[in-house]
Amino acid sequence: MMKSGAVFLVGPMGAGKSTIGRLLAEALRFEFCDVDREIEERSGVDIPWIFDMEGEEGFRDREESMLSELSDGSQVVISTGGGAVLRSVSRKLMVARGTVIYLKTSVEEQVRRTARDRKRPLLQNGDPGTTLRNLMALREPLYEEIADYTVLTDNRTPKSVVQELCEQLGASDLSAQY
Ligand SMILES: Nc1ncnc2c1ncn2[C@@H]1O[C@H](COP(=O)(O)OP(=O)(O)OP(=O)(O)O)[C@@H](O)[C@H]1O
Ligand SMILES: O=C(O)C1=C[C@@H](O)[C@@H](O)[C@H](O)C1
Ligand SMILES: [Mg+2]
């Protein structure tokens, strides 16, 4: 069942947080916010630029405060960035403010889904598979630590993931009526 407050999607790059977040919000008739997109829109610069100019820690500072600002309400689905769980302040905030969903995805599937675009600075150097495997080793315990629900996304359409989430959250999938 859903706790009161926000619904947070966590998981690695390519798990589908942005894709599924938007669809889940539609299905629940909730607002939708994407922390990465909101950081870019409000600052007027893109994430690779922020990593270049401010370093990863500069981006994490922005991410932590944006997450806090966006989640101060209810009936909202919030897609986080893959590394949002790195800050313990953010992990505590998500647990305190709502329901956390971990979109679990194999490294092989993450590689396939992220191969096409260049907007993820952490994947621009070295072999993406190796990077994603190393990131998962560090981060998966953190995703698992805070998750109320875990959903596997490999070999599934976004729609089928959303249907399962609606069932787990005890909400009827309003989009199924159309
Ligand atoms: N269940 C799915 N099946 C097939 N493709 C998917 C699925 N979910 C997402 N995708 C595709 O994978 C790509 C990456 O998805 P998305 O941008 O939603 O990931 P993300 O978790 O938000 O990543 P990031 O942490 O970098 O923001 C997109 O092209 C999207 O269309
Ligand atoms: O996994 C990560 O650390 C990141 C994921 C993306 O969502 C962005 O937040 C950024 O590219 C960093
Ligand atoms: Mg995203």
Side-chain angles (χ1 to χ4, degrees):
M1 294 301 286
M2 214 176 327
K3 298 183 200 159
S4 63
V7 175
F8 298 94
L9 297 185
V10 302
M13 290 179 263
K17 301 176 299 296
S18 301
T19 307
I20 283 161
R22 178 175 296 285
L23 294 172
L24 180 64
E26 262 172 44
L28 299 173
R29 302 275 193 276
F30 280 14
E31 249 187 90
F32 172 64
C33 295
D34 188 294
V35 175
D36 287 335
R37 204 199 58 207
E38 218 48 55
I39 289 171
E40 290 185 324
E41 278 186 5
R42 295 198 201 180
S43 64
V45 289
D46 65 12
I47 291 174
W49 189 94
I50 298 170
F51 269 71
D52 275 353
M53 301 305 290
E54 302 177 0
E56 179 170 348
E57 284 314 300
F59 175 74
R60 299 291 168 216
D61 291 339
R62 288 175 182 264
E63 182 174 48
E64 183 183 314
S65 54
M66 188 61 74
L67 180 65
S68 168
E69 188 178 326
L70 294 175
S71 62
D72 186 22
S74 61
Q75 303 219 318
V76 59
V77 174
I78 299 178
S79 295
T80 64
V85 294
L86 290 170
R87 292 273 171 104
S88 74
V89 171
S90 296
R91 297 199 298 278
K92 285 186 191 128
L93 180 128
M94 289 190 265
V95 169
R97 287 191 174 174
T99 308
V100 181
I101 293 164
Y102 168 32
L103 298 180
K104 189 175 166 98
T105 307
S106 70
V107 169
E108 292 69 31
E109 188 72 36
Q110 292 171 46
V111 170
R112 280 192 284 276
R113 292 187 193 162
T114 55
R116 271 174 278 135
D117 65 59
R118 295 269 155 276
K119 65 174 194 212
R120 297 173 174 91
L122 294 178
L123 300 182
Q124 299 317 303
N125 299 308
D127 169 55
T130 305
T131 304
L132 287 164
R133 191 163 290 106
N134 290 338
L135 290 176
M136 271 301 266
L138 289 170
R139 295 175 177 181
E140 185 156 47
L142 305 176
Y143 300 136
E144 288 176 341
E145 172 194 310
I146 63 170
D148 294 294
Y149 298 106
T150 297
V151 178
L152 300 171
T153 81
D154 282 19
N155 304 314
R156 315 228 351 230
T157 63
K159 195 164 182 238
S160 111
V161 174
V162 169
Q163 275 165 357
E164 180 179 338
L165 285 173
C166 285
E167 281 161 27
Q168 286 190 340
L169 294 171
S172 56
D173 179 355
L174 293 168
S175 65
Q177 295 167 8
Y178 295 93

